[in-house]
Amino acid sequence: MLKVALVGVGGISGAHIPAWLTMEDVELVALCDIRPEQMEKYPQIRHYTEFDCMLEQEQIDILDICLPTYLHADFAVKAMEKGIHVLCEKPLSLQEADVGRVYAAAQAAGVKVMAAQVIRFWPEYEYLKAVCDSGRYGRLLSGSMSRLGAIPGTTWDNWMHDEKRSGLVPYDLHIHDLDFLVYAFGAPNKATAHRAKRPDQDYLCAVYEYDDFFVTVDASWFASPYPFRMSFRFQFEQAIIAYEDNVLTVYERSGKIFQPAKAADCANQAEYTLPATNAYAEEIRYFTDCVKYDRPVKRVTPESLETVIHLLGTL
Ligand SMILES: NC(=O)c1ccc[n+]([C@@H]2O[C@H](COP(=O)([O-])OP(=O)(O)OC[C@H]3O[C@@H](n4cnc5c(N)ncnc54)[C@H](O)[C@@H]3O)[C@@H](O)[C@H]2O)c1
């Protein structure tokens, strides 16, 4: 049984903690947050308000970092120096140099680390990547990706609205789509961006150019209460694949239109089915299996993280 602790019991921990609690081969033994009230709804797990104290008192195999972005790298290194494997929420850091620092610490300690780039595990995006890799619909011609919503409300210490600590829209939201592009297609040849940034809102529109295709990507924290939505539309020679209003649809040139079946609903799990699992649970399962079976963390490489953080710095 692997023992797990989680630090930073805020918004995103609400997606991580239930995933850990449903796994039969791990035990979530401890939570840490400087605000004790954040942990009250998990009375069955031990609570700490000081990270160092938790590290001293608990025997932990995996630490899950759900802290504000600016704390990720330092907390990851500190845990790894104690021989603990680390799963860390995105972005690993706002500074490209931290990727090398974190991975060097992992190597020195003989432990594994993974940035939780959840879109690499998101069923509809996994489907899109599988179709691209297969060449099933011919060459990719263009793409567009969107991640729009209103500016987040007040967070602890208002860190999310502080550019130095969160990086605002590029590092908080846009990173998801850029990370997917780098994961699926590698580094683009060229990146250009336009931004409408005010103290109360932030909108970014970027174009990434590859050899044979380009992808436009936009992301927002609007001042108005615009509902959150993520979507994409990719144009291949023989089909359009669109993820809109939470529905993935394939529009084949032949006229056939269909929604890919979920793997769980398919008797025969064919190549082109939608993985059925929750992406947060899936990334956590993936990393845990890498630790459990001593497998390399191939799904999220330091090179790809460096490329993404570097590109974000150029926008
Ligand atoms: N993958 C995703 O879809 C996704 C979604 C949202 C947020 N995130 C990422 O998750 C991270 C956290 O975001 P959030 O929205 O949950 O933030 P949040 O502010 O809601 O939660 C952070 C928590 O950390 C605690 N904290 C702060 N300093 C601490 C310290 N020194 N020791 C212990 N606890 C401390 C705060 O009290 C707070 O409860 C960010 O890096 C963000 O980019 C990822």
Side-chain angles (χ1 to χ4, degrees):
M1 186 74 87
L2 291 166
K3 292 196 180 336
V4 176
L6 182 146
V7 61
V9 188
I12 197 59
S13 75
H16 287 223
I17 292 172
W20 288 116
L21 290 176
T22 56
M23 289 164 67
E24 288 177 354
D25 52 352
V26 303
E27 187 186 359
L28 183 57
V29 295
L31 298 174
C32 174
D33 199 293
I34 48 174
R35 297 181 294 167
E37 67 276 14
Q38 289 295 106
M39 302 179 278
E40 277 169 8
K41 63 176 171 179
Y42 306 107
Q44 74 279 30
I45 309 170
R46 287 187 286 282
H47 298 173
Y48 294 85
T49 51
E50 284 180 29
F51 184 61
D52 289 349
C53 182
M54 180 172 81
L55 291 189
E56 263 167 41
Q57 292 190 19
E58 298 286 344
Q59 292 293 318
I60 302 164
D61 299 299
I62 298 175
L63 175 72
D64 183 359
I65 298 181
C66 293
L67 290 164
T69 298
Y70 67 100
L71 298 172
H72 290 176
D74 286 348
F75 276 64
V77 168
K78 190 178 253 191
M80 291 191 293
E81 283 172 347
K82 294 220 176 261
I84 299 169
H85 304 281
V86 169
L87 176 68
C88 180
E89 253 309 336
K90 48 56 65 175
L92 189 59
S93 174
L94 303 178
Q95 279 85 40
E96 186 185 345
D98 273 342
V99 178
R101 180 166 74 92
V102 166
Y103 276 83
Q107 195 173 20
V111 296
K112 300 183 195 304
V113 61
M114 186 175 100
Q117 294 291 166
V118 73
I119 296 301
R120 300 188 192 206
F121 298 84
W122 209 276
E124 288 78 5
Y125 294 75
E126 281 191 84
Y127 181 93
L128 172 65
K129 183 173 183 313
V131 168
C132 291
D133 290 349
S134 72
R136 183 186 199 189
Y137 291 124
R139 283 169 44 194
L140 176 59
L141 303 177
S142 77
S144 80
M145 308 179 84
S146 221
R147 198 164 293 273
L148 304 175
I151 190 163
T154 312
T155 48
W156 168 78
D157 203 31
N158 220 16
W159 73 271
M160 191 70 102
H161 296 172
D162 176 356
E163 183 159 20
K164 287 199 177 65
R165 293 191 286 172
S166 76
L168 308 180
V169 159
Y171 294 82
D172 185 65
L173 269 194
H174 179 71
I175 187 172
H176 284 297
D177 296 309
L178 175 57
D179 178 75
F180 177 80
L181 292 179
V182 171
Y183 172 54
F185 311 118
N189 299 329
K190 191 174 170 198
T192 45
H194 296 276
R195 191 159 172 193
K197 186 177 157 213
R198 303 282 182 280
D200 58 343
Q201 50 186 316
D202 191 9
Y203 172 80
L204 174 79
C205 180
V207 181
Y208 297 104
E209 294 176 41
Y210 288 85
D211 286 346
D212 301 325
F213 63 93
F214 63 94
V215 184
T216 56
V217 188
D218 69 349
S220 77
W221 284 353
F222 291 132
S224 307
Y226 192 81
F228 179 77
R229 58 190 68 169
M230 62 177 175
S231 61
F232 64 68
R233 186 186 61 249
F234 278 75
Q235 174 198 11
F236 296 84
E237 287 174 312
Q238 302 298 334
I240 302 292
I241 300 186
Y243 180 45
E244 287 158 345
D245 300 324
N246 296 318
V247 179
L248 184 71
T249 308
V250 179
Y251 302 85
E252 292 188 349
R253 189 170 171 159
S254 64
K256 183 179 168 193
I257 301 173
F258 66 97
Q259 271 101 43
K262 289 219 155 95
D265 302 334
C266 271
N268 173 16
Q269 293 206 356
E271 189 183 353
Y272 298 105
T273 52
L274 261 183
T277 47
N278 166 294
Y280 295 99
E282 187 64 18
E283 71 183 352
I284 285 172
R285 182 72 259 170
Y286 173 81
F287 183 68
T288 302
D289 282 346
C290 289
V291 170
K292 187 172 170 181
Y293 302 112
D294 194 18
R295 293 180 190 146
V297 183
K298 288 189 184 157
R299 194 88 165 252
V300 184
T301 63
E303 295 78 18
S304 66
L305 298 177
E306 274 172 345
T307 300
V308 169
I309 297 173
H310 174 77
L311 282 165
L312 289 172
T314 67
L315 297 180

